[in-house]
Amino acid sequence: MPPKRPKSAVSSAGSKKKDKGKKAPSPTPSENPGHPEDIFPMVLTSATQELFDCRADEDVTGDDPYRLLRKDDIIQDLKTRAAVSDFSPVKPIVLDYPEDDILLVYDRDFTYGQSFYLVLTPEAKDRILNPPEPETPEVVVLNEVYKTPEPKDWLSLGSEQEIAEESIKETREKMWYKLSRVRRKFGAPVSFSDRNTADAKDGYLECASYQDSRFSIKQMQRDCGMQAVPRFRSSSAQTQWKFLRNVFMQYTPREFNEDEKENILQSESLKNFCKAVTPRVILALQQEEIMNVFFDDWKALGTEAEGSDWSGKVSEGLMLYQAFTVQKYSKDKKISSMNWHPTIYGVIAIALTEKEEERLNETFAVKPSLILFYSFSDPANPQLLLECPDDILAFEFCPSDPNIIVGGCVNGQVVLWDISAHVTRLQGTQPSGKKPSVNTDTFDLDDNKENKTPVVRYCAVSALESSHKAPITDVQWLPQTFEVTRTGLPVENKYNISVQVVTCSPDCSLMFWDVRAPKLLSHSASDRKQNVDQKPQMSTYSVPDTFKHLDRTWKPLFKVSLPKINTSGEYAPLKFSFEHYTCNGKTGTNTEDAQEYDDSSKVNPDYSQLRAPSAKTLTPLEDVNTKLYIGTEDGEVVYTDWKLEKDDSGRLHSAKPLHCFSVNHCLVNTVQRSPFFKDIILTGPSPAGRWNFAIWKEGVMDGPIILSPNSEYMYTAGCWSLSRPAVFFIGREDGSIEVWNLLEKTSEPAQVHAHITNAKITCMIPWTGSSKQHLLAVSDDLGMVRVFEIPRTLYIPSRSEKLSMGKYFELEEERLLDFLKRDEAWAKQRRELDKPEKTLEENEGENKKVYNDHLTLEESILKGMGLLPANTQDT
């Protein structure tokens, strides 16, 4: 029998102080009536439930309420938390329990007064886990006499006649057919072969049906269904006659006589009708005078032209359109980066990385690092796999050639891929079950010939000693309108092709990379045109030679460090955003190379033939904005210039940032410019609060112009809408999505889609499939991608929405400046109020001085008016 326990499992604070130092007596189950003696009802806090994996309605449910707890774990919890532990009331019973596992039962219906109860004896545990089967008692009826049921008389209702009529009876005499063959053909060898039906005139024989005139079969009976419907009849009051004749007709109206008219006018029903209808008629006339009730407000909104197929039904929220996941590749991994293919419909690429806990637990396990390509045409299988030297945290398609991809690795290296040989597979022009017939002898991760998905090896990787010293967290191509020199000076881009890449890493640096060879191009113009038309050459292992000149030797063009403004040390960047230069970068270019690439602009450029020109021959661009916003891992938003400066000795060094806004230590995971306003930047989480986002305006150095309220959950991703300037999407750590519309609400989201996934949202990328199809791709921490269809209300802009948002941002900027002025005035007032009070002698001296000044002024006024007495004047 288990030891007894006290009357109350939780003692008051006073009793604790009184009995301090004494050993608590063991609990006695029998003292708490209402439950058996071998169980103990108890309450477990959420922390204890998570510690022992027994969370209510998650780990344990009404259908599976049992959980075996290890005795050693409970004892360890008692040692760690002592009296705070939820198992402290049953400590003696746990210590004396003979077995290693103790049964904990989730009491969902509060049968014994609490949400859980602990089984105190092994016998009770076996009884609960293995309940005895109930025995069905045999009922023996004595003196029961079985009576044979007597059949009732059958009463015919005519059904036998219907059955006889519907039954099938053979009425015709059977025919006999005899088939014979020549005896010499029995046992002769037969040789079959394939033949094209078009090779011979009689190669294809068709047994076409024809009508035999020798006999005809008279149909005696037909079985068909019929339905009685009203007969269609067409009539007209004015018929067109075939033979025209001049006729005339006069109609006489049918009218009531005077008595009938009088009766109707005097009837009560007519009076009641007029009384009931008159107010409504008057109201309708008033409304008609005030406004046009037949005016179509929907057409006036300006959305009818884009939505001609509007059916009257609209979905206000995001609708799940497609989902991608393959357990073979995404197990124990998360999605770190995601991008839509710029030109191919429905193709999305994702980068998978190991989770931190998996990386620590499996230090010796080698798992392939991949970038997966999914397509709407086959969502269950990836269409292409990109092999990576290490896990990829960020990658991006080249704006000039979508077949060129750049990525940043966890080990700090920059990687380049060329997928030109697999474009047809991604476009869906080739069956997914077969491999391409040209240049497809690619690697197989598992050495399995049945693996149908091609694996593309990277073309080039940067030199390890010249790469970042920490994981690359963001990578972006410079726009094709300009390029930079080794000092960060923007110059013209002769070929109008993106050739440079920017990367950042928490090693406190940004690096600029050039994908071209440093030597000048020595090939002739005709050879260059021929190479552009040809596909990239493949090596022995099906790796294109596009960037062979960079492999293992690629070094950055220049490096930008981020020193702190007021203190020592450097900022650790995670994300960055720079303004895209939209002017023509080929202004003033008259070289033959530019003309040749103009002629071949319809095809993708051949990067293997590009060479970096001398910086002396390029024209500097003064109107390029070289400043960029950077989000750091310490929660700062830094505004800096990437151009290098010269010190007194002539050496180049990075300039100090122009501004830094920092309040907390929560890393910034989103820095994104608005697609409609080049000077508006969205960051999240914001440095001005723990779990919120901020909107900044470039040039305003005093802080964000818009700051959201604090959220209960941390924001993990964010992106702007591609079609509406006022709409953007925010992802949270609890798997929910917030849809913000600044024209509708500024203090709270317009929509919240709760728990679309059970894990943290890692990436959000919008995409426009067509004018009537706008999609949002959302990835989570479990390696799954969900594509949601954006409703019409969230992608069709209202009239002059961009103009309204521009005015709204200007008002917010003015509000911020006004607030800062008021804050400065308040600070000045506070400083004045904080000054030490004057002593009594000082106050008396000041008052006496003021009084004397007043007397002197009064005397001077009286003298001027001649009102001062003579004796006073003489004195």
Side-chain angles (χ1 to χ4, degrees):
M1 182 175 177
K4 296 183 179 181
R5 58 186 174 89
K7 295 182 179 181
S8 177
V10 180
S11 61
S12 61
S15 62
K16 285 184 178 180
K17 295 180 180 180
K18 183 177 179 180
D19 299 333
K20 184 176 180 181
K22 297 181 181 180
K23 184 177 180 181
S26 59
T28 306
S30 60
E31 294 181 8
N32 188 3
H35 61 82
E37 296 181 355
D38 48 9
I39 68 170
F40 182 75
M42 59 193 312
V43 178
L44 298 184
T45 61
S46 58
T48 305
Q49 294 181 21
E50 292 180 0
L51 183 63
F52 290 88
D53 293 332
C54 58
R55 292 172 291 184
D57 294 329
E58 293 185 15
D59 300 322
V60 289
T61 60
D63 298 332
D64 184 18
Y66 307 116
R67 179 68 62 185
L68 290 174
L69 306 182
R70 293 181 57 84
K71 177 181 176 181
D72 297 337
D73 295 343
I74 299 176
I75 295 175
Q76 183 64 31
D77 182 70
L78 290 170
K79 293 179 179 179
T80 304
R81 297 194 293 176
V84 183
S85 174
D86 294 337
F87 296 94
S88 58
V90 292
K91 179 178 179 181
I93 301 178
V94 172
L95 295 177
D96 298 335
Y97 194 83
E99 296 184 359
D100 295 333
D101 296 328
I102 303 176
L103 178 62
L104 179 70
V105 182
Y106 173 49
D107 192 0
R108 185 176 183 179
D109 298 328
F110 289 84
T111 306
Y112 300 121
Q114 301 297 342
S115 58
F116 291 87
Y117 62 87
L118 191 69
V119 181
L120 305 179
T121 61
E123 294 80 9
K125 180 177 70 174
D126 296 335
R127 184 179 70 253
I128 293 175
L129 295 179
N130 302 312
E133 297 181 357
E135 297 181 359
T136 304
E138 297 181 0
V139 180
V140 179
V141 181
L142 301 177
N143 300 328
E144 181 180 359
V145 179
Y146 176 76
K147 295 182 179 180
T148 304
E150 297 180 357
K152 297 181 180 180
D153 296 335
W154 181 71
L155 180 61
S156 175
L157 298 178
S159 59
E160 69 277 5
Q161 184 178 358
E162 296 179 359
I163 295 174
E165 292 177 355
E166 294 295 333
S167 61
I168 300 175
K169 299 179 182 179
E170 295 184 359
T171 57
R172 295 185 299 175
E173 184 180 358
K174 295 182 179 180
M175 302 179 64
W176 293 82
Y177 291 93
K178 181 179 180 181
L179 303 176
S180 61
R181 189 180 185 185
V182 182
R183 185 176 182 85
R184 65 175 178 271
K185 293 185 178 180
F186 282 96
V190 179
S191 177
F192 296 98
S193 63
D194 297 334
R195 183 180 66 174
N196 192 354
T197 58
D199 295 342
K201 184 177 181 180
D202 58 345
Y204 176 71
L205 300 178
E206 180 182 4
C207 298
S209 61
Y210 66 95
Q211 184 176 3
D212 193 350
S213 60
R214 293 179 295 177
F215 65 93
S216 62
I217 300 176
K218 184 178 179 180
Q219 186 175 5
M220 302 296 295
Q221 184 178 357
R222 175 180 293 177
D223 187 7
C224 63
M226 297 181 64
Q227 183 178 4
V229 296
R231 180 181 296 178
F232 179 76
R233 181 179 179 181
S234 177
S235 60
S236 177
Q238 295 181 356
T239 308
Q240 182 180 2
W241 295 92
K242 295 181 180 181
F243 304 99
L244 302 179
R245 289 181 296 178
N246 294 328
V247 296
F248 70 94
M249 186 177 297
Q250 183 177 2
Y251 293 92
T252 301
R254 180 184 175 184
E255 298 180 352
F256 292 106
N257 54 33
E258 296 297 333
D259 296 338
E260 291 176 342
K261 292 180 180 179
E262 187 67 22
N263 293 333
I264 293 174
L265 294 175
Q266 297 298 330
S267 63
E268 293 294 331
S269 60
L270 180 61
K271 294 180 181 179
N272 296 334
F273 172 76
C274 293
K275 291 180 181 179
V277 172
T278 300
R280 289 185 288 173
V281 174
I282 294 176
L283 179 61
L285 293 175
Q286 291 176 351
Q287 291 178 349
E288 181 66 22
E289 290 295 329
I290 296 173
M291 60 176 293
N292 184 9
V293 295
F294 299 102
F295 182 74
D296 193 348
D297 295 326
W298 176 252
K299 291 183 179 180
L301 291 175
T303 56
E304 180 66 18
E306 299 184 9
S308 57
D309 60 343
W310 177 249
S311 61
K313 297 181 180 180
V314 62
S315 175
E316 296 293 339
L318 302 176
M319 300 294 293
L320 183 61
Y321 182 79
Q322 190 62 267
F324 304 103
T325 183
V326 177
Q327 190 67 15
K328 176 182 177 182
Y329 304 109
S330 61
K331 183 180 179 181
D332 298 331
K333 290 193 175 186
K334 64 178 181 180
I335 297 177
S336 58
S337 183
M338 176 173 56
N339 281 292
W340 290 95
H341 196 284
T343 58
I344 302 178
Y345 174 82
V347 174
I348 187 171
I350 64 171
L352 296 171
T353 60
E354 281 192 47
K355 299 179 181 179
E356 294 296 334
E357 54 270 19
E358 294 296 331
R359 186 181 294 272
L360 295 175
N361 294 337
E362 301 180 6
T363 54
F364 299 101
V366 179
K367 293 185 179 180
S369 301
L370 300 171
I371 294 179
L372 278 63
F373 282 73
Y374 287 110
S375 175
F376 287 166
S377 59
D378 187 9
N381 301 303
Q383 302 300 306
L384 196 64
L385 302 177
L386 301 188
E387 183 187 4
C388 313
D390 206 340
D391 286 348
I392 299 294
L393 295 183
F395 71 95
E396 190 178 44
F397 290 90
C398 179
S400 303
D401 185 0
N403 298 324
I404 305 300
I405 304 172
V406 63
C409 296
V410 172
N411 61 359
Q413 289 181 295
V414 186
V415 192
L416 289 169
W417 292 271
D418 185 358
I419 59 172
S420 304
H422 306 275
V423 175
T424 55
R425 180 181 180 88
L426 295 178
Q427 290 174 343
T429 58
Q430 178 175 318
S432 60
K434 298 181 180 179
K435 293 184 179 182
S437 59
V438 181
N439 299 333
T440 56
D441 298 330
T442 53
F443 292 124
D444 193 339
L445 297 178
D446 300 327
D447 295 333
N448 187 0
K449 295 183 179 180
E450 296 181 358
N451 189 358
K452 303 297 176 102
T453 306
V455 181
V456 181
R457 185 177 174 83
Y458 49 88
C459 299
V461 62
S462 62
L464 186 60
E465 62 275 5
S466 302
S467 302
H468 287 281
K469 307 307 177 185
I472 297 177
T473 55
D474 199 3
V475 57
Q476 295 183 30
W477 289 87
L478 280 183
Q480 55 193 9
T481 52
F482 72 95
E483 57 181 277
V484 295
T485 62
R486 292 186 177 274
T487 61
L489 179 66
V491 295
E492 62 175 343
N493 191 335
K494 285 186 176 181
Y495 310 116
N496 200 25
I497 299 173
S498 295
V499 293
Q500 292 179 340
V501 179
V502 187
T503 60
C504 76
S505 171
D507 63 352
C508 308
S509 65
L510 278 82
M511 290 187 180
F512 285 72
W513 308 77
D514 199 317
V515 300
R516 299 170 295 185
K519 296 182 180 180
L520 296 176
L521 185 62
S522 60
H523 292 59
S524 63
S526 60
D527 295 340
R528 190 185 302 112
K529 285 187 177 181
Q530 183 178 2
N531 291 331
V532 169
D533 296 334
Q534 294 178 354
K535 292 184 177 180
Q537 297 180 356
M538 309 294 284
S539 63
T540 309
Y541 299 102
S542 301
V543 179
D545 295 335
T546 312
F547 302 104
K548 186 178 180 180
H549 57 279
L550 300 176
D551 193 21
R552 309 290 178 182
T553 60
W554 194 15
K555 296 182 179 181
L557 190 66
F558 67 95
K559 176 181 177 181
V560 179
S561 59
L562 301 172
K564 291 191 175 182
I565 299 177
N566 299 324
T567 60
S568 61
E570 294 179 324
Y571 299 108
L574 291 181
K575 298 291 181 180
F576 65 90
S577 175
F578 55 83
E579 179 183 343
H580 284 246
Y581 181 63
T582 55
C583 297
N584 185 8
K586 292 164 54 176
T587 305
T589 302
N590 296 321
T591 60
E592 295 181 0
D593 296 334
Q595 295 175 359
E596 290 163 6
Y597 274 93
D598 284 340
D599 297 336
S600 61
S601 59
K602 296 181 180 180
V603 298
N604 293 329
D606 186 2
Y607 280 85
S608 61
Q609 303 298 323
L610 296 179
R611 297 295 183 271
S614 175
K616 298 179 180 179
T617 62
L618 301 177
T619 305
L621 300 176
E622 301 295 338
D623 53 346
V624 176
N625 186 8
T626 59
K627 300 176 180 61
L628 70 164
Y629 275 87
I630 298 174
T632 70
E633 65 179 3
D634 295 327
E636 301 126 337
V637 173
V638 181
Y639 186 60
T640 186
D641 195 333
W642 74 57
K643 286 194 300 184
L644 302 181
E645 298 179 350
K646 290 185 179 180
D647 54 11
D648 297 337
S649 61
R651 298 180 59 183
L652 295 174
H653 67 93
S654 300
K656 284 197 173 185
L658 303 175
H659 180 69
C660 176
F661 194 86
S662 175
V663 170
N664 71 327
H665 300 283
C666 183
L667 59 87
V668 179
N669 52 48
T670 300
V671 180
Q672 190 177 111
R673 289 183 182 261
S674 170
F676 300 94
F677 303 96
K678 61 182 181 180
D679 57 345
I680 298 298
I681 299 96
L682 171 68
T683 63
S686 165
R690 187 177 182 185
W691 290 336
N692 54 7
F693 66 87
I695 296 179
W696 309 73
K697 186 171 183 179
E698 192 166 9
V700 180
M701 300 298 181
D702 300 314
I705 60 175
I706 299 176
L707 189 64
S708 71
N710 291 339
S711 173
E712 297 181 2
Y713 303 94
M714 186 176 70
Y715 293 143
T716 58
C719 65
W720 290 96
S721 171
L722 299 179
S723 57
R724 292 198 59 183
V727 175
F728 55 92
F729 307 92
I730 299 294
R732 303 190 320 204
E733 65 175 351
D734 64 335
S736 303
I737 294 179
E738 294 182 359
V739 182
W740 287 77
N741 186 352
L742 297 179
L743 290 181
E744 182 178 342
K745 297 178 181 179
T746 58
S747 60
E748 61 180 0
Q751 298 178 11
V752 177
H753 301 273
H755 305 292
I756 64 168
T757 174
N758 295 329
K760 178 179 67 175
I761 294 177
T762 57
C763 300
M764 299 176 66
I765 303 293
W767 182 64
T768 303
S770 64
S771 60
K772 297 181 180 180
Q773 187 184 42
H774 292 246
L775 304 176
L776 178 67
V778 180
S779 63
D780 58 18
D781 208 22
L782 299 178
M784 188 171 185
V785 180
R786 294 173 175 85
V787 179
F788 294 90
E789 190 169 5
I790 302 176
R792 293 170 53 88
T793 55
L794 294 180
Y795 72 75
I796 296 182
S798 59
R799 178 175 295 181
S800 63
E801 180 173 331
K802 184 177 180 181
L803 181 61
S804 301
M805 285 303 302
K807 294 181 179 178
Y808 173 70
F809 289 141
E810 292 177 359
L811 291 176
E812 290 297 325
E813 180 182 358
E814 295 175 359
R815 180 198 60 80
L816 176 63
L817 297 177
D818 181 68
F819 172 76
L820 293 175
K821 290 180 181 179
R822 292 176 181 271
D823 187 59
E824 185 178 357
W826 294 337
K828 185 177 180 181
Q829 292 178 3
R830 286 194 297 269
R831 287 195 299 270
E832 293 179 354
L833 293 176
D834 293 340
K835 290 182 179 180
E837 296 183 359
K838 297 180 180 179
T839 61
L840 182 60
E841 292 78 6
E842 292 178 351
N843 290 333
E844 290 180 355
E846 289 182 359
N847 294 335
K848 187 175 182 180
K849 182 180 180 182
V850 173
Y851 179 70
N852 293 332
D853 294 340
H854 174 72
L855 293 178
T856 304
L857 179 62
E858 182 183 6
E859 184 179 356
S860 63
I861 294 174
L862 293 175
K863 284 182 179 181
M865 297 177 62
L867 299 178
L868 195 66
N871 55 356
T872 307
Q873 293 181 359
D874 296 337
T875 57

